[in-house]
Amino acid sequence: MVQSMCNTDTRDVQATVKQIKALEKEGCEIIRVAVLDMTAAKKLGQIKRQIQIPLVADIHFDYQLALEAVRQGVDKIRINPGNIGSLDRIKKVADACKEKKIPIRIGVNSGSIESRILKKYKNKVTPKSMVESALYHVKLLEKFDFRDIVISLKAPDVNRTVSAYQLLSEKVNYPLHLGITEAGTKWSGTIKSAIGIGTLLYQGIGDTIRVSLTDSPIEEVKAGWEILKDLDLRKRGRILISCPTCGRTQIDLIPLAKKIEKATENIEKPITIAVMGCAVNGPGEAREADIGVAGGKKLGIIFRKGKVIKTVKEKDILLALMAEIKKL
Ligand code: SF4
């Protein structure tokens, strides 16, 4: 499932709900909000009542905020029990979540490994130290017979993240939430996340994903879906096939492909659209596409499942293709 996190102030219910609704439209399936103080915690119920997707409360350290979030009816808490304090406080949170059947996500980040564990690994954040940290938090919950647990193990680089999740998946059966933390800006962060999350999903590891980007959460959701679609794990919206262009291209294909990408971004039905540079290879190579266009000499050949259905002037390609897409 595709998850994201709001970057609004949770105390601002209107702005947060507005962002979540936009994310829902984009296909976000689970949303997390930061709960910084009691004012924010007390707004969670209002937010929850106005949205359709499960709401996760992200809490650091303060068990009172976790208890309030549970009272407000959130669907999941993200908190590391080892950071809550006394066993008594951990028990209170575990019991409250158990009573309401709310899972707890343990989120280990490479930057927040306990110093005791780090010391053991010569102050190096390694996949092993990350896993040890996660298991420490898991055991604290299991102590109170709490087992509705989700775990994430994020580092800002692909290698450690992938190795850590692989190692953890051999040790526990709990669901795993995947992501590369602080992955970067839209372009580099999407590539990094696609490699890391993609590698794990390809191996059958992972249950929910978040692409963390220094950008709008909308972009995170879009990227998340592209990863799932490209691995053929889920279907949603169009898949665009387009050729890299070469000396055979006789139309202005690159801007055309971008226009088609933009014009079709809100299609929810899973269809494959091909944008190919030439008629020699285009329809054949993209024969599996539901609909496509191949460039000719200043013209476009529209084809469906590899079969040519019409030829139009270059300037009319976008309109003609969109008309055919509508028919689908
Ligand atoms: Fe070149 Fe045609 Fe292949 Fe595009 S589809 S890369 S134009 S040969």
Side-chain angles (χ1 to χ4, degrees):
M1 292 182 94
V2 177
Q3 189 172 144
S4 188
M5 186 167 182
C6 286
N7 57 7
T8 51
D9 184 335
T10 308
R11 290 166 298 197
D12 185 344
V13 174
Q14 208 186 350
T16 304
V17 168
K18 189 176 170 207
Q19 186 168 64
I20 297 173
K21 284 185 185 261
L23 287 162
E24 282 175 349
K25 235 178 166 178
E26 211 55 58
C28 182
E29 296 172 299
I30 303 173
I31 187 69
R32 182 157 52 112
V33 292
V35 182
L36 268 69
D37 56 24
M38 197 47 88
T39 313
K42 285 189 184 296
K43 304 277 183 179
L44 292 167
Q46 279 182 55
I47 295 170
K48 165 83 188 148
R49 284 190 288 278
Q50 295 180 67
I51 63 172
Q52 305 295 323
I53 54 178
L55 181 66
V56 186
D58 188 283
I59 294 156
H60 287 177
F61 310 116
D62 191 339
Y63 82 110
Q64 294 282 11
L65 298 183
L67 294 178
E68 182 59 30
V70 173
R71 276 194 287 272
Q72 292 285 328
V74 298
D75 300 285
K76 193 198 282 178
I77 304 268
R78 187 246 170 161
I79 193 164
N80 289 349
N83 301 341
I84 296 178
S86 66
L87 285 178
D88 179 52
R89 290 177 179 183
I90 300 171
K91 183 174 185 312
K92 278 189 177 134
V93 174
D95 286 350
C97 287
K98 199 195 276 183
E99 200 197 319
K100 293 263 187 99
K101 294 192 169 59
I102 296 173
I104 295 179
R105 167 148 79 89
I106 292 167
V108 169
N109 273 8
S110 55
S112 60
I113 311 271
E114 295 66 32
S115 50
R116 169 182 57 81
I117 295 173
L118 268 185
K119 234 180 184 173
K120 192 171 150 190
Y121 292 90
K122 300 194 171 83
N123 280 325
K124 283 208 171 86
V125 179
T126 63
K128 273 190 179 165
S129 61
M130 290 167 68
V131 169
E132 190 164 329
S133 172
L135 294 178
Y136 157 65
H137 294 293
V138 166
K139 290 212 169 78
L140 284 171
L141 290 178
E142 287 177 342
K143 199 188 273 276
F144 301 108
D145 199 28
F146 187 89
R147 286 163 211 281
D148 196 358
I149 299 170
V150 181
I151 311 169
S152 63
L153 276 181
K154 301 179 181 179
D157 58 277
V158 170
N159 290 344
R160 271 186 308 179
T161 306
V162 168
S163 303
Y165 276 107
Q166 283 170 332
L167 195 60
L168 184 68
S169 69
E170 290 164 12
K171 293 182 187 288
V172 296
N173 277 325
Y174 291 121
L176 302 178
H177 170 67
L178 306 182
I180 307 284
T181 193
E182 298 130 24
T185 53
K186 182 174 154 184
W187 190 75
S188 56
T190 300
I191 294 173
K192 203 191 276 186
S193 301
I195 298 170
I197 294 171
T199 304
L200 288 161
L201 289 176
Y202 187 75
Q203 293 170 1
I205 298 170
D207 300 273
T208 58
I209 64 168
R210 181 197 174 191
V211 176
S212 303
L213 298 176
T214 313
D215 210 305
S216 157
I218 296 276
E219 298 300 331
E220 298 188 347
V221 173
K222 281 185 186 167
W225 272 103
E226 285 303 313
I227 294 171
L228 295 182
K229 285 192 301 189
D230 289 340
L231 284 167
D232 215 8
L233 292 171
R234 301 275 303 275
K235 289 191 194 319
R236 186 180 201 273
R238 56 102 174 93
I239 291 176
L240 196 69
I241 296 172
S242 61
C243 88
T245 73
C246 73
R248 287 191 186 86
T249 321
Q250 293 184 67
I251 57 167
D252 201 4
L253 194 79
I254 296 172
L256 175 67
K258 286 180 182 165
K259 275 184 206 155
I260 293 171
E261 184 176 42
K262 182 96 193 111
T264 56
E265 70 180 358
N266 293 325
I267 293 177
E268 285 190 16
K269 191 179 164 176
I271 57 167
T272 303
I273 303 165
V275 185
M276 308 297 280
C278 72
V280 183
N281 291 339
E285 279 183 22
R287 97 171 43 87
E288 279 165 27
D290 297 299
I291 189 84
V293 61
K297 207 171 182 182
K298 299 282 169 209
L299 51 84
I301 299 150
I302 312 276
F303 58 90
R304 200 185 286 158
K305 294 276 180 200
K307 283 209 175 91
V308 176
I309 49 173
K310 65 160 86 158
T311 301
V312 295
K313 285 183 188 152
E314 182 175 358
K315 67 174 177 52
D316 299 327
I317 293 175
L318 182 63
L319 271 180
L321 188 73
M322 290 308 291
E324 290 303 321
I325 290 171
K326 274 209 180 99
K327 284 186 201 162
L328 288 174

